[in-house]
Amino acid sequence: MKIPYSLIVLLFLGLSCTGQQTVNNKVIELKEIVSSDQYPNIDGILVAKDDRIIIEAYFNGFEKDSLHDTRSSFKSVTSLLAGIAVDKGLFKVTDQVQKFIPEWKDDPRGTITIKNLLEMKSGLACEGFFGIGPDCEAEMWDTKDWLNYILHIPLRHRPGLNWAYTSMEPELVGIIISRTSGMTLMQFAKTHLFKPLGIEKYKWHITPNGGGYAAGSFNIKPIDMLKIAQLVLNKGKWKGRQIVSDNWIDESTTCEIDVEMSFVRFARTQDAKYTTANYGYLWYRELLQYNDIYTEVLFASGNGGQYMMILEDYNTAIAFTGSNYGNWKGKLPFDIVLKYIIPILEEEK
């Protein structure tokens, strides 16, 4: 029996409406559960699939135009700024820093490369993750000359040998961008990244040396964090314009350095399988394995639950903001991604 075309159309529309209603119901459920005690201090969730925003929700008094501290997730923005500088020929990742920091000329620290800084493998005696110490960032903030403080940090081991999390490296990258461009980091970012993306409202933390802090404490709207994640998802292109080269996006987000910890593990998702996260040029990757989910997430991470995430398998960008500072609940967005956002994306298919 031949089915009339009009009936086929009606059946398709019915299925489409049913599928969309399921998605809407799941989004409503997500918003309700985040408003409950199960996910405390999640301040914002934004999800864009195929460059279309499908979730935008704010909590705890935050609104669409509220600025939120990005903490260390801003380090990944510094990676993008470094890529733009490389694209413009200001420096190469293989360059040694003594070329731009003459204070370290004829010093073993001068042999640190730009790539070492971007990969957090400078060898400087700092460690902010595992309690090995010293926590150079906290010590630096108590000084009146941050650059002078950094220039007096000794080497723990030769550059390029081991990964150690610290804010010193991205701050040095920011200083080098400023010195090679002849602009402040704030001017460089505004001209070459923020203005092209239509990012207008934000607040830098200004260092005692008068520069924009390149390692964090930058306040921005969550919708603009989402734009940055979308830029990376789209290989450096925004509305048809190449802001940073696709070669840089590929190189900086390859992420082959084992950081010996799992964000999913700290999110405490029951029955999730976890493996270590990997590090690139100030970006992380981690494999997500939960029930039928098997996919990779590329992300920027900041204390308290600040994330810019990219799910390449789903052509999706995500932004989270939160206020779970200094505790494991800052990793709860990974639980939300596994239990709610990816199932919603599956329904969107």
Side-chain angles (χ1 to χ4, degrees), residues 6-295:
S6 57
L7 181 57
I8 294 175
V9 171
L10 289 172
L11 286 169
F12 175 77
L13 290 173
L15 289 171
S16 298
C17 292
T18 301
Q20 188 57 52
Q21 186 60 48
T22 301
V23 170
N24 292 340
N25 290 340
K26 287 183 178 294
V27 171
I28 292 170
E29 179 186 0
L30 170 60
K31 291 179 180 179
E32 289 176 348
I33 202 162
V34 171
S35 298
S36 72
D37 294 336
Q38 185 171 336
Y39 292 110
N41 300 319
I42 303 292
D43 298 330
I45 305 175
L46 295 91
V47 181
K49 177 174 172 56
D50 302 327
D51 287 328
R52 178 177 63 89
I53 295 177
I54 62 172
I55 300 173
E56 183 176 6
Y58 304 95
F59 310 91
N60 305 318
F62 285 89
E63 299 176 350
K64 185 182 183 73
D65 290 329
S66 300
L67 297 183
H68 204 290
D69 191 348
T70 58
R71 295 294 176 103
S72 285
S73 68
F74 188 75
K75 289 177 171 67
S76 302
V77 177
T78 296
S79 176
L80 292 173
L81 296 175
I84 293 170
V86 168
D87 291 342
K88 292 183 176 298
L90 301 184
F91 52 76
K92 300 176 182 177
V93 294
T94 54
D95 285 338
Q96 294 184 344
V97 298
Q98 61 187 345
K99 185 175 180 180
F100 317 105
I101 303 178
E103 297 94 330
W104 277 352
K105 190 171 179 60
D106 300 322
D107 184 295
R109 293 169 295 182
T111 65
I112 296 169
T113 65
I114 302 292
K115 183 175 182 179
N116 293 152
L117 297 178
L118 291 167
E119 292 184 332
M120 293 202 178
K121 297 175 77 172
S122 68
L124 293 174
C126 301
E127 173 60 75
F129 252 16
F130 301 114
I132 298 171
D135 179 4
C136 294
E137 184 173 23
E139 292 181 359
M140 180 183 70
W141 278 64
D142 289 334
T143 71
K144 295 181 179 180
D145 188 333
W146 288 11
L147 177 57
N148 182 65
Y149 173 85
I150 295 172
L151 293 176
H152 284 84
I153 299 171
L155 285 176
R156 176 174 286 152
H157 52 69
R158 63 179 172 83
L161 186 62
N162 294 309
W163 183 86
Y165 185 86
T166 169
S167 292
M168 303 304 101
E169 284 96 337
E171 175 62 3
L172 283 173
V173 171
I175 290 168
I176 291 169
I177 292 171
S178 180
R179 288 185 174 185
T180 56
S181 67
M183 308 167 73
T184 66
L185 187 64
M186 297 91 80
Q187 292 169 331
F188 187 88
K190 179 180 180 179
T191 301
H192 300 297
L193 182 63
F194 296 152
K195 190 174 181 180
L197 291 180
I199 297 174
E200 298 176 345
K201 185 181 178 181
Y202 50 85
K203 183 180 180 182
W204 287 88
H205 180 88
I206 306 302
T207 74
N209 299 90
Y213 190 36
S217 297
F218 178 90
N219 290 264
I220 193 172
K221 293 190 291 186
I223 191 71
D224 291 331
M225 293 173 65
L226 185 69
K227 289 180 183 179
I228 292 166
Q230 289 176 285
L231 176 72
V232 175
L233 175 63
N234 293 321
K235 298 295 183 180
K237 187 175 288 187
W238 181 256
K239 295 185 176 179
R241 177 180 175 183
Q242 199 74 42
I243 308 300
V244 58
S245 69
D246 57 350
N247 287 337
W248 180 261
I249 298 298
D250 289 340
E251 180 179 349
S252 63
T253 64
T254 298
C255 303
E256 296 178 338
I257 302 168
D258 186 342
V259 303
E260 300 179 355
M261 66 161 284
S262 165
F263 285 74
V264 172
R265 180 177 186 177
F266 280 99
R268 303 184 183 182
T269 302
Q270 186 175 0
D271 295 329
K273 183 177 180 179
Y274 47 80
T275 58
T276 184
N278 291 321
Y279 207 67
Y281 294 174
L282 306 177
W283 287 94
Y284 297 89
R285 280 187 185 270
E286 186 165 344
L287 185 62
L288 302 179
Q289 300 176 83
Y290 175 70
N291 294 335
D292 294 331
I293 294 170
Y294 187 92
T295 192

Side-chain angles (χ1 to χ4, degrees), residues 1-4 7-8:
M1 180 181 68
K2 186 175 181 181
I3 301 176
L7 181 57
I8 294 175

